[in-house]
Amino acid sequence: MKRRAWMLAALLCAGCGGEDFGSHEADATAAQDSLNNPTNTGVELIEGLWHDNELVPGEGWHLYHFRPETSGWVSFQMQAPVDHPNLWSYLRIVDPEHNNEVWAGVANKRTNLCEVILHADAGHDYDVIVTSQENSLLINGETQKTDGPYTVAVLPVDVAFEAP
Amino acid sequence: MSRPGLSMVAAVLLVACASPPQDAAQVEASTEMSPELAEMNDVSVLLPLPGDEGQIVARVGAASPARGGSLLPREAYEAAFGPPGTLQAGGTPAPAPHDELKLVSFRLDPCFGAACANQIRLVFQPLRVKGGVVSAKDEAVHAFYRLSRDELADAVASMIGLRLEATEERLGPLAPHPLASDDARRAAIEGVVTTFAGAENLSRVTTFTTSGLGSAWNFSGFDINDGQAERVPMVDLPDGTEVVAFFRGFGGAGALVGDPAFSPRSLAAPEDNLQLLGSIADAERASEDERQAAFDALTRIDDPTIHDADSTDCASCHAADPVRRLVGEGLWSLTPSAGVGFVPDGRYLDVEDLAPTSVDASVNLHMFSYAGTQASIHRRTIHETAAVVAYVNEHVL
C-alpha cells in the first residue's frame, strides 16, 4: 500500500480535497477559510473524546490541535445538528510542518456529519479547523451567517487495504 | 441500634431478579421480614424531583451546611475539576458549576469496593425549570464519604426510623422515595445525609458529563485527601487515562451505533468485557459465541458479588443497562448462560422489591439519578441495593 503522510480519504463530503503546498511558506492554518478572525480554542483533542462548541458570527473558524500518541489511521469527525438551516459541517486538517492539508465538507445534509480519515504519525502535530462550508461572502459583501452548535472528535479507525 | 429479633427461615433465592418469578406467592409464603429491618428504599434513596424553581432552591445542595463544613466543599470540587468552566481532558465539558449541584439521591453501603469500606455516596445534578417542568441535566456528580461501621449503622437505623414514623407498610422496589414527596419527611431524609456526610469525611468525587451533542458520556474522578485531589486510577484502561467515554453514535436516541462505542477500550479479560455489545456494528461482526460471552460479561458486571467500582471501568458499568436492553436483549434476544447472574438473598426481600420501576427506551446512563424528568434506576443498582439490604440486616443492624 502506497501511503503518504497527508494522503486522506474524505467521506460523506460534497467537496473534498488535499493539497501539498510544496515550498509555500504561508501558515496554512491562517491562509484558508479566514473570513473573520480565526479562533484558536487551545483544545488538544484526544482520540475517542467528543468536544462540543458553537460557531459564533465574528469568531471565524475554530482551531483545535491533535498530537497522536501512536501512529495509525484516525477519523476526524464534525457533526452539526441535522436540521440546522445553514451550519453545514466542514473540516480542514492541516499538517503545518509539511504544509499539507485536506478538507471535506458535508454532502448529506440529513446527517450533517463530515469525516476525514488520515494516517497520523505519533508525536506529530495536526491542526484541526472546524467551520461551516456556508461561510462565503454574499453578493452584498456580507459574510453568510453560520452560527450554531457542533461537536468534533478524532476517532481511532481500524482499516485494512489490499493491493489490487 | 440493637439487632431486631428475627425468626429467620431458610434463605429463599430469588433467581429471576428483573421480573417476578412464576411462583412469587410461594416465595412470599416462605419469607419472613420485620419492618424494623432495612428495605431497599432505606439504603438507596432517590429523591423526587422538585416541583418548581422555589423548591429547587430549597433543596439540599453541594453548598449546604453538613458534617464538618459544606456537603461538597467548593475547594475540593475545584481542586479536582478546576475553576468553573474548566474543560476536561480532550475538551470534554466542564462539570456543572458547584452552585448548581443539588442532591438527587444517596446510597448507604457497608462494603464498598475492594476495601469493603463503610460509605455513603451522594449524587448531585443541576436542576432547571423549562416550560414549567423541572428536569435534570444529563450529567451528574458523585461524592463519596467514609463512615465508621457504627455511623453506617446509625444512618441505616435513622432511615428505618423515618420510615416507621410514616408507615409500617413495605415501600416496595426502588423508585423516587415514596415518603419523600412530603416536604417535612424529605427534609428529614436530607438531614440524615447532612449529618453523616460532609467536608469532614469526603473521600472521592467523580463526574460524568455529556458531549457529542448529547451522544457521548465522559467519566472521570478524583480521590480527596486533606483537600488535595488525586486522579482515581481507571481500572482495565491504559495507564494515564483521565477520561473514559461511551459514545452511542448519531443514529438516534435509541440506537447504539458509536464507532468506537468505548474510548479508550477496556483491557478487561473477555469474561469481564461487555464492550463488544456497545456497538451494533461490532456485535454484528462477532460470532454468536462472542456475543454470548459479552452478554455474560455484562451480566457479571451487573452482579455486585463479582464486580465493584474497583474492578470495572465507569463507562462499562454505566452503559451496561442500555447495552443489555438495546443490543443484547433487543437485537439478539440474549439471556445469561446457565449459572451466570446475581442471585439475591431472599430472606430480606419480597420478590416485588426487585422489580424495575424505570425502563427507558433511550440510551440512559444514569444508574440512580435523572435523565431529564425520567427517573433512572439501572439493574446493577437494584442488585447492589439488594445485596446491601442483606448485608446490613445480617451484619450491621
Side-chain angles (χ1 to χ4, degrees):
Chain A
M1 179 180 67
K2 185 178 180 181
R3 193 171 68 205
R4 297 179 62 181
W6 61 270
M7 186 56 71
L8 317 163
L11 306 177
L12 303 169
C13 57
C16 49
E19 185 174 356
D20 188 341
F21 282 95
S23 60
H24 291 193
E25 297 299 326
D27 180 350
T29 65
Q32 302 295 322
D33 301 325
S34 52
L35 294 168
N36 299 318
N37 295 318
T39 297
N40 187 344
T41 65
V43 170
E44 296 278 348
L45 299 174
I46 294 177
E47 277 189 43
L49 301 181
W50 287 88
H51 168 76
D52 290 357
N53 206 339
E54 188 166 357
L55 289 169
V56 177
E59 273 194 359
W61 39 262
H62 288 168
L63 171 63
Y64 297 93
H65 308 275
F66 177 59
R67 177 186 288 181
E69 292 185 359
T70 58
S71 297
W73 294 89
V74 293
S75 164
F76 295 83
Q77 293 190 16
M78 174 191 179
Q79 166 84 46
V82 294
D83 54 355
H84 199 283
N86 54 32
L87 173 54
W88 299 339
S89 57
Y90 177 101
L91 280 172
R92 184 182 296 267
I93 314 303
V94 179
D95 174 354
E97 184 179 337
H98 298 104
N99 275 331
N100 295 328
E101 68 170 355
V102 66
W103 57 270
V106 70
N108 186 347
K109 294 173 186 173
R110 287 175 296 183
T111 66
N112 215 346
L113 176 68
C114 180
E115 180 177 25
V116 174
I117 298 175
L118 64 77
H119 187 277
D121 296 328
H124 199 72
D125 291 314
Y126 297 86
D127 291 335
V128 181
I129 293 170
V130 171
T131 186
S132 168
Q133 66 183 43
E134 288 302 301
N135 61 0
S136 56
L137 284 175
L138 302 176
I139 294 175
N140 63 4
E142 294 182 356
T143 305
Q144 185 162 352
K145 184 179 177 183
T146 58
D147 56 320
Y150 68 86
T151 189
V152 61
V154 187
L155 304 173
V157 178
D158 293 326
V159 293
F161 295 100
E162 292 182 2
Chain B
M1 176 182 169
S2 62
R3 182 172 177 169
L6 298 176
S7 176
M8 288 298 174
V9 296
V12 178
L13 301 181
L14 308 182
V15 176
C17 49
S19 57
Q22 299 300 312
D23 57 349
Q26 180 183 345
V27 172
E28 290 179 23
S30 58
T31 304
E32 185 173 328
M33 286 164 287
S34 161
E36 294 177 331
L37 290 174
E39 301 181 15
M40 300 283 280
N41 285 281
D42 295 332
V43 296
S44 294
V45 177
L46 181 62
L47 298 171
L49 284 175
D52 55 36
E53 184 68 43
Q55 291 183 22
I56 293 176
V57 173
R59 284 293 178 94
V60 163
S64 296
R67 178 178 178 176
S70 58
L71 189 53
L72 173 56
R74 179 189 302 274
E75 296 76 15
Y77 187 66
E78 295 186 359
F81 302 113
T86 301
L87 294 177
Q88 304 299 295
T92 51
H98 184 267
D99 294 343
E100 295 182 13
L101 297 177
K102 291 295 182 180
L103 178 70
V104 297
S105 72
F106 68 94
R107 299 172 65 189
L108 295 163
D109 191 338
C111 190
F112 175 78
C116 195
N118 298 284
Q119 184 183 83
I120 180 170
R121 296 194 291 281
L122 315 184
V123 180
F124 297 92
Q125 288 185 274
L127 307 178
R128 60 186 172 188
V129 180
K130 194 173 183 179
V133 176
V134 174
S135 63
K137 291 184 179 177
D138 190 5
E139 58 184 297
V141 171
H142 294 197
F144 302 63
Y145 303 82
R146 298 184 193 91
L147 296 176
S148 68
R149 177 51 60 94
D150 287 345
E151 289 169 339
L152 179 85
D154 288 346
V156 175
S158 297
M159 289 302 303
I160 294 171
L162 290 172
R163 167 168 53 80
L164 292 176
E165 284 178 9
T167 180
E168 290 205 349
E169 298 294 318
R170 291 186 66 79
L171 298 183
L174 290 181
H177 201 283
L179 305 180
S181 54
D182 176 271
D183 284 345
R185 290 202 183 97
R186 193 206 67 251
I189 291 172
E190 290 172 334
V192 173
V193 173
T194 54
T195 296
F196 290 97
E200 184 180 311
N201 58 337
L202 175 69
S203 62
R204 178 178 288 185
V205 59
T206 65
T207 183
F208 80 86
T209 61
T210 310
S211 61
L213 301 181
S215 65
W217 292 266
N218 315 289
F219 300 84
S220 63
F222 290 83
D223 284 326
I224 306 295
N225 287 303
D226 297 327
Q228 303 297 309
E230 185 177 355
R231 196 171 288 283
V232 177
M234 295 212 177
V235 63
D236 287 332
L237 294 173
D239 289 344
T241 298
E242 296 183 6
V243 173
V244 59
F246 176 71
F247 173 47
R248 69 162 165 78
F250 299 119
L256 295 183
V257 294
D259 184 16
F262 294 90
S263 294
R265 294 182 192 273
S266 171
L267 305 173
E271 63 265 28
D272 295 309
N273 194 330
L274 63 76
Q275 297 196 348
L276 176 69
L277 298 178
S279 163
I280 293 172
D282 286 346
E284 284 178 336
R285 283 192 290 266
S287 69
E288 191 173 327
D289 287 346
E290 289 171 329
R291 284 194 293 269
Q292 182 63 54
F295 194 79
D296 287 343
L298 187 159
T299 307
R300 286 165 55 85
I301 288 171
D302 274 346
D303 185 344
T305 66
I306 297 176
H307 280 294
D308 56 42
D310 291 330
S311 67
T312 304
D313 71 274
C314 304
S316 292
C317 195
H318 279 257
D321 219 63
V323 166
R324 174 177 46 76
R325 284 186 290 104
L326 299 172
V327 180
E329 295 173 348
L331 295 182
W332 278 280
S333 302
L334 294 172
T335 58
S337 298
V340 177
F342 175 60
V343 181
D345 186 335
R347 288 176 296 174
Y348 306 105
L349 297 166
D350 279 335
V351 67
E352 289 82 2
D353 291 345
L354 301 170
T357 58
S358 69
V359 178
D360 193 340
S362 65
V363 182
N364 183 337
L365 270 69
H366 291 266
M367 298 184 73
F368 199 51
S369 45
Y370 289 88
T373 59
Q374 171 77 47
S376 181
I377 304 169
H378 282 190
R379 182 173 291 184
R380 162 89 198 183
T381 305
I382 295 171
H383 290 177
E384 277 187 15
T385 303
V388 166
V389 165
Y391 191 104
V392 298
N393 287 331
E394 187 81 24
H395 301 293
V396 178
L397 294 178

